[in-house]
Amino acid sequence: MLWEVINALEERAEYSQLGRNRWRATYCGFVTLSAEGTDPRDAQYNLAEAFDARLAGFIRAANRRMETEPNVVVQKERRQIGGRKRATAVKPRT
């Protein structure tokens, strides 16, 4: 599986130079990731690290047990607000 990930990164990664000794590698696939480095190889390595972290997050989330709350009954609360005055019509000032 790891070999396929590396191949996908190599096939779909785009590189751009941001400045002197600054490169960005971007992967656009089922997720969009980008990473920077001092040269294209460094940017590619950092992109692979970011991709690994993203995949690990997906795997952790998929393996996390779905927990549900026990059934909760919510009753409509009735309360009377004491001392509330009714709105009265106000005449506009002239």
Side-chain angles (χ1 to χ4, degrees):
M1 181 174 143
L2 185 58
W3 181 251
E4 292 174 10
V5 170
I6 292 170
N7 284 338
L9 284 174
E10 288 177 357
E11 289 174 6
R12 301 201 39 128
E14 296 176 2
Y15 300 91
S16 57
Q17 189 169 10
L18 303 174
R20 187 170 186 225
N21 294 330
R22 288 190 59 219
W23 286 80
R24 175 183 289 145
T26 303
Y27 171 82
C28 294
F30 73 99
V31 296
T32 300
L33 296 170
S34 64
E36 294 183 13
T38 57
D39 57 35
R41 284 281 177 204
D42 188 36
Q44 182 182 27
Y45 176 79
N46 292 338
L47 181 63
E49 290 289 318
F51 203 85
D52 286 345
R54 178 63 62 176
L55 284 177
F58 288 149
I59 292 168
R60 281 189 204 103
N63 288 335
R64 200 172 298 145
R65 202 175 75 192
M66 299 285 290
E67 295 185 16
T68 58
E69 303 257 341
N71 292 337
V72 177
V73 178
V74 178
Q75 295 180 354
K76 187 175 181 179
E77 182 180 336
R78 289 182 156 184
R79 63 180 189 175
Q80 185 175 359
I81 301 174
R84 188 169 182 184
K85 297 181 181 179
R86 295 182 75 189
T88 57
V90 177
K91 295 181 183 179
R93 292 185 183 172
T94 55

